[in-house]
Amino acid sequence: MGPAEEERERDVILISDDEDDSTHGNSVLIVDPLVKTALEEKKCEEIVDEECELVVTFCKQANVMPHARYDCTIHSFERMECETCSPLGKNADFCNQCYCYICDKLASECQNWTTSSLCHCNAHNKSKFWKEQRDFALAGVLVMFNLELTDIDADLRHGGNLLISFIQELSVEYNKYLIGARIAPTEHECFCVPKLPPGQCGICRSRSTEIVYKYSGVYALVTRFLNQAERESPKACAVMLLGAAREITLHKDPALSWQNLGHTASLKLAVPCLLQRITTRLQKMLVLCDFPKSLYEKFVNFFQSISLPCHCFAFSNSLNVVPWDHVLLTTVLKGQNTTGQRTQKGRKTFLWEVLPVIEARVEKLVENTNYKEVVRYLRAVKCNDTKGLRDLRDKIPFYLCKTGDFIDATHSLLFPINSLACCTACRLTPLQFEVYLKIFKTGSVPAGKDIQDPGPWVTVGSPMKDGVLIRQAFKLLYSNLSLYRNPKCWGSFIMIMGSSCFLERNGRLCPLTVKEPPVAFQQGVLVASDGLFQELKAKLNVSFPPGIFSQLHQEACLILAVQAVQQMVICELPYLTSFLEIFLAFGNNFWALRLLLNHLSYDEHILHGVVDLVLRDLNRQKATMLKLWQNLGPQYVGEFVCLFLTCRNRILQSIGVLALDIITENLHVCPWAKHLYNFFHNARLMHLPLGATTHHEVSKFMDVLEKL
């Protein structure tokens, strides 16, 4: 050590290693260096150990620092286990640095220093009684949670303060409940000797007066407190909920007989209702909130220590929530256990959890984007609420899509986890069906946590091949009767099959104009798929002809879609409520729409039914159609109208005529309509054999356009 370092002044603080082991002396001593003469320093030298060459070269009497009264070196202290009547010996005396062991403040500021029945001056750290008093004074109501002082932070203390205020308010409200309310009897005949008029006999009235105990006031107060607790931090909320649970389970029903006053006014109905809310919230918090392990266990132990009344026995094990580090749960999440079953010492255990806990685990795993773990967990876990668990399992295909595993996602849609249950596809909505097809077509998924989130889409995998996609789409449609009968679903299917596999960030598809294939190719696809749709309607697990579906292109997909729609219309026409969506779904692929119209024309009855539906849709959706035509432009409108006007079947021509009437009636909002004149003129529409009626309507329309 250099000379400069030796000359540097240093402070030396001596602190007792263990306060409990010390029965005498100061709690904290500090030694400060003082400037001394060389002679004084020499006098301070003392050889302690010659062999080790240990020499004390400097010492000074310590300054007295703040200390507990029992550690005071100035005033003596006498100890007893729990003396509270009066000060022992000279325990009431104190120096200016003595602190009250209970209040943790200067003894001169302690209001109960010598108060009879309290006598904080006698408190010391060797007494169990005084330690409990100190803990309660410092921890307040939190002492009932068996928390160490080091465990208590600002959140826990805040929750404890709110709980104390609530307990005081609850005591007042509960006392009102115990008093009850006297209900006057209805007037009845007097049976006493005087035979007074009805309602005037005090004896009869007192005998039949009933006291009603309504718990509504207490229920409302507790509900407000629970609402407040749910807005606080997790630790404060847990303290408030557990404290409220303990208080309401102590309430007794003073009525001698059952009074059915409703679920909020009858104590035996209201308390279980409140406990259900409390335990459900706590179950979710134990899963979602990262409580320290010791605090987690103390919360659970506190709830288990509550003495539940007979009408609340069902909540005895409510907080026995499996922790995240439990062996069975961790093996399931890692994929090492796919059944949720474990055999240990010949005893089988299952991963069995209540629905709120399952919902909370799924929420946390999804929040952390652990989609594979979510799927493994939902497939393995078991629950008494089968419907609630089924609803959660219905999201498994979406979670698999988020990982890019589209093949497993389609399998999960079509095949249930439990062989006795029905598949997820049976419960798909039209919107979900469309989103899944869009996911499989583009390899992109919604960026949000739900399949119906309107936010942006992100790419997660490779798109399905058209052959695989159309096969899975047919299986979904034929496995769900409501989807099969819904024209919107068929419209979505046709629109997606005729679109690009590239998706815009906002989730919109890019429609394609597919070149019309040769007639021979169309006939080949129709012949090869003959009988396929009848088999699909009979059973789901159908073998698709490999020659068609192995290398399908969009032309073949649209042809198959046309044939599937024709089969659907033949079977389900009485159940159809609209049809225009299917026509519009073909977009600019008018050759495919023409093919559908030709197939429908084979049966006059079917054709009449379809045309009636389309005409009704056009009349009901005029504003929608005008807006759509405005976006698509006059080229599309012209081809759409010409397709129907040039049909040989007069029934189909009525659709084109109605379209012309709608445009004529709304020319003020159709500035693009004037371009139709050139389109129809170039198409030589007036020179085609349209029929007298149709030709007359087209002539009128052309005359109107010519004047524009």
Side-chain angles (χ1 to χ4, degrees):
M1 182 180 297
E5 294 182 3
E6 291 179 352
E7 293 176 359
R8 187 180 299 163
E9 291 187 356
R10 293 172 296 173
D11 292 343
V12 182
I13 302 176
L14 305 178
I15 303 177
S16 172
D17 291 337
D18 190 351
E19 188 184 25
D20 289 346
D21 296 338
S22 174
T23 59
H24 180 74
N26 295 334
S27 301
V28 180
L29 305 178
I30 182 167
V31 180
D32 291 327
L34 293 176
V35 179
K36 291 189 176 184
T37 64
L39 180 61
E40 287 175 333
E41 290 183 358
K42 188 174 182 181
K43 289 180 181 179
C44 292
E45 291 185 1
E46 178 183 354
I47 299 176
V48 178
D49 191 334
E50 293 183 356
E51 295 181 1
C52 298
E53 298 181 355
L54 179 62
V55 178
V56 176
T57 61
F58 175 82
C59 65
K60 173 198 169 187
Q61 177 150 4
N63 292 332
V64 178
M65 300 298 291
H67 54 268
R69 171 63 184 87
Y70 57 80
D71 271 343
C72 186
T73 58
I74 300 175
H75 301 288
S76 61
F77 185 82
E78 295 184 19
R79 301 173 187 268
M80 285 190 66
E81 176 60 27
C82 58
E83 177 57 44
T84 59
C85 295
S86 60
L88 292 172
K90 297 183 178 180
N91 288 1
D93 299 337
F94 54 85
C95 69
N96 59 356
Q97 294 293 340
C98 282
Y99 266 69
C100 174
Y101 177 66
I102 304 299
C103 303
D104 203 25
K105 61 176 67 173
L106 284 170
S108 59
E109 299 176 2
C110 176
Q111 298 179 355
N112 300 313
W113 188 249
T114 57
T115 304
S116 179
S117 75
L118 294 175
C119 277
H120 286 185
C121 64
N122 294 331
H124 58 91
N125 65 339
K126 298 297 181 181
S127 165
K128 181 180 179 182
F129 169 79
W130 287 115
K131 281 186 177 181
E132 291 177 352
Q133 293 297 311
R134 172 183 169 83
D135 290 344
F136 185 79
L138 296 179
V141 73
L142 297 177
V143 72
M144 67 182 179
F145 294 95
N146 197 27
L147 298 175
E148 301 292 338
L149 293 179
T150 54
D151 295 334
I152 301 176
D153 57 13
D155 289 339
L156 289 172
R157 196 174 296 281
H158 177 62
N161 293 336
L162 294 175
L163 179 59
I164 291 174
S165 301
F166 165 71
I167 291 174
Q168 295 171 350
E169 294 178 19
L170 184 64
S171 176
V172 175
E173 196 64 40
Y174 179 58
N175 287 332
K176 294 180 182 178
Y177 162 74
L178 293 177
I179 295 173
R182 292 183 175 272
I183 305 299
T186 56
E187 294 186 357
H188 56 80
E189 183 181 357
C190 175
F191 295 99
C192 299
V193 177
K195 276 289 185 180
L196 296 174
Q200 296 184 11
C201 179
I203 298 176
C204 293
R205 187 164 56 250
S206 62
R207 286 176 181 173
S208 58
T209 298
E210 182 182 8
I211 299 179
V212 176
Y213 301 93
K214 292 187 176 182
Y215 198 72
S216 304
V218 180
Y219 183 91
L221 175 62
V222 177
T223 300
R224 289 195 300 272
F225 182 68
L226 298 183
N227 293 339
Q228 181 185 8
E230 292 174 354
R231 295 191 295 268
E232 300 292 337
S233 64
K235 288 183 180 179
C237 179
V239 166
M240 296 167 71
L241 295 177
L242 289 167
R246 177 178 177 272
E247 293 302 314
I248 62 176
T249 54
L250 296 174
H251 292 175
K252 309 292 182 183
D253 188 352
L256 299 178
S257 58
W258 166 248
Q259 296 179 345
N260 187 8
L261 305 173
H263 75 282
T264 61
S266 297
L267 182 144
K268 292 181 179 179
L269 296 177
V271 171
C273 182
L274 293 170
L275 270 183
Q276 181 66 52
R277 177 180 176 181
I278 292 171
T279 54
T280 299
R281 181 70 176 183
L282 286 170
Q283 287 167 349
K284 292 186 175 182
M285 290 178 64
L286 292 176
V287 174
L288 294 173
C289 305
D290 296 325
F291 293 125
K293 187 174 182 181
S294 60
L295 186 62
Y296 180 104
E297 293 173 350
K298 286 176 180 179
F299 283 159
V300 174
N301 292 336
F302 174 80
F303 184 82
Q304 291 177 340
S305 68
I306 297 176
S307 180
L308 297 175
C310 58
H311 51 276
C312 297
F313 281 167
F315 300 96
S316 299
N317 299 315
S318 293
L319 296 195
N320 290 351
V321 178
V322 175
W324 282 103
D325 58 356
H326 190 274
V327 176
L328 181 55
L329 179 58
T330 54
T331 54
V332 166
L333 294 178
K334 292 178 181 178
Q336 300 168 352
N337 186 328
T338 59
T339 62
Q341 177 180 333
R342 182 174 177 234
T343 303
Q344 189 176 18
K345 296 181 180 180
R347 183 180 179 183
K348 290 184 178 180
T349 56
F350 297 89
L351 184 58
W352 197 289
E353 299 194 296
V354 294
L355 187 63
V357 172
I358 298 175
E359 291 173 339
R361 290 202 197 280
V362 171
E363 179 182 344
K364 187 162 188 177
L365 291 171
V366 170
E367 185 71 29
N368 297 330
T369 65
N370 297 325
Y371 297 111
K372 291 183 179 179
E373 287 83 351
V374 175
V375 173
R376 294 166 186 161
Y377 173 71
L378 287 175
R379 284 175 171 172
V381 73
K382 295 174 178 57
C383 179
N384 286 329
D385 190 343
T386 55
K387 183 182 181 301
L389 181 59
R390 186 196 69 184
D391 293 341
L392 290 174
R393 284 176 171 173
D394 282 347
K395 297 181 180 180
I396 287 179
F398 176 65
Y399 297 142
L400 288 170
C401 289
K402 297 283 276 188
T403 67
D405 192 351
F406 302 132
I407 298 300
D408 196 7
T410 57
H411 185 273
S412 297
L413 281 168
L414 296 167
F415 297 97
I417 296 173
N418 185 344
S419 58
L420 298 179
C422 58
C423 63
T424 301
C426 298
R427 295 177 292 277
L428 283 182
T429 64
L431 179 58
Q432 291 172 338
F433 171 76
E434 179 181 349
V435 174
Y436 274 121
L437 289 191
K438 196 184 298 184
I439 290 173
F440 300 150
K441 175 72 175 180
T442 63
S444 302
V445 296
K449 301 175 185 177
D450 190 79
I451 192 172
Q452 298 183 14
D453 281 352
W457 286 54
V458 294
T459 302
V460 295
S462 301
M464 278 187 179
K465 294 182 179 179
D466 288 335
V468 179
L469 174 59
I470 195 170
R471 181 165 63 242
Q472 301 301 335
F474 280 145
K475 288 183 177 180
L476 290 176
L477 285 168
Y478 280 84
S479 64
N480 186 326
L481 186 59
S482 63
L483 296 183
Y484 183 74
R485 290 176 173 174
N486 194 326
K488 291 183 179 179
C489 294
W490 287 98
S492 300
F493 168 59
I494 295 169
M495 181 268 296
I496 292 171
M497 295 310 302
S499 299
S500 168
C501 61
F502 298 104
L503 190 70
E504 296 179 6
R505 184 170 174 77
N506 59 7
R508 292 182 180 178
L509 286 166
C510 301
L512 295 177
T513 301
V514 180
K515 185 178 180 181
E516 181 178 3
V519 176
F521 178 83
Q522 298 180 28
Q523 293 298 326
V525 173
L526 295 174
V527 171
S529 61
D530 186 39
L532 172 65
F533 301 105
Q534 292 299 329
E535 290 185 37
L536 270 172
K537 194 166 181 62
K539 57 181 180 178
L540 179 62
N541 198 8
V542 174
S543 297
F544 287 76
I548 302 177
F549 291 90
S550 58
Q551 297 294 330
L552 268 184
H553 298 292
Q554 286 179 310
E555 297 90 341
C557 290
L558 289 175
I559 296 170
L560 285 172
V562 166
Q563 189 176 15
V565 170
Q566 179 198 7
Q567 295 294 327
M568 181 273 295
V569 174
I570 292 173
C571 299
E572 307 295 338
L573 180 60
Y575 304 100
L576 299 181
T577 57
S578 64
F579 206 86
L580 183 60
E581 296 93 340
I582 296 178
F583 283 176
L584 298 175
F586 287 97
N588 289 317
N589 299 305
F590 293 104
W591 64 266
L593 178 56
R594 188 185 308 111
L595 182 63
L596 175 61
L597 297 178
N598 291 337
H599 279 68
L600 294 175
S601 300
Y602 295 152
D603 190 322
E604 196 73 15
H605 170 71
I606 297 296
L607 184 62
H608 271 283
V610 170
V611 171
D612 288 343
L613 289 173
V614 174
L615 294 176
R616 186 178 64 181
D617 292 340
L618 284 172
N619 280 309
R620 291 179 176 178
Q621 304 176 32
K622 290 181 180 180
T624 304
M625 292 303 301
L626 289 170
K627 185 176 180 181
L628 177 65
W629 289 339
Q630 170 74 30
N631 294 332
L632 295 176
Q635 179 70 25
Y636 172 84
V637 178
E639 292 192 31
F640 181 82
V641 174
C642 279
L643 175 64
F644 290 97
L645 292 177
T646 56
C647 287
R648 295 180 180 179
N649 195 303
R650 297 293 184 265
I651 301 174
L652 290 172
Q653 289 181 357
S654 61
I655 297 176
V657 171
L658 179 58
L660 296 180
D661 291 341
I662 293 174
I663 297 172
T664 304
E665 294 171 1
N666 299 275
L667 284 175
H668 60 286
V669 293
C670 301
W672 45 267
K674 58 185 178 181
H675 299 289
L676 292 178
Y677 180 85
N678 293 331
F679 181 88
F680 290 158
H681 180 74
N682 295 334
R684 301 181 62 82
L685 186 61
M686 296 300 297
H687 300 283
L688 297 177
L690 304 179
T693 304
T694 305
H695 190 277
H696 176 68
E697 294 295 331
V698 173
S699 298
K700 287 198 318 183
F701 183 74
M702 294 293 284
D703 292 340
V704 172
L705 294 182
E706 192 174 10
K707 295 177 183 179
L708 293 178

